Amino acid sequence: GFCTFGTGGDAVYSFSTTQPLDFRATASTTSSTFQPALYLRNTCFGSDRVCNAAVAGGSSTVSSSSLPAGTWF
């Protein structure tokens, strides 16, 4: 995502919805040096709809109200 700069690889997940929905996702770590970050896009290489990067050892949450129908990454 555009809200963080790191050298670690991304794990990409996708989901599809046929109607608007409220979306929320959280990622956390047990490592004191890992900085989790989450972002939500409607194309793999598009702009971030939301993006959040946590401090090292913390957790990251993104949410979006009334997310339009479609496929999200």
Side-chain angles (χ1 to χ4, degrees):
F2 295 110
C3 65
T4 185
F5 303 97
T7 58
D10 291 350
V12 178
Y13 299 91
S14 68
F15 66 94
S16 296
T17 179
T18 58
Q19 59 188 10
L21 57 80
D22 294 338
F23 175 81
R24 180 181 173 99
T26 301
S28 60
T29 181
T30 56
S31 168
S32 63
T33 59
F34 184 74
Q35 180 184 7
L38 292 172
Y39 50 92
L40 180 63
R41 297 176 176 170
N42 63 351
T43 64
C44 276
F45 300 104
S47 347
D48 299 342
R49 180 176 176 100
V50 292
C51 186
N52 179 268
V55 296
S59 62
S60 176
T61 299
V62 292
S63 60
S64 182
S65 298
S66 299
L67 188 68
T71 299
W72 295 90
F73 301 88

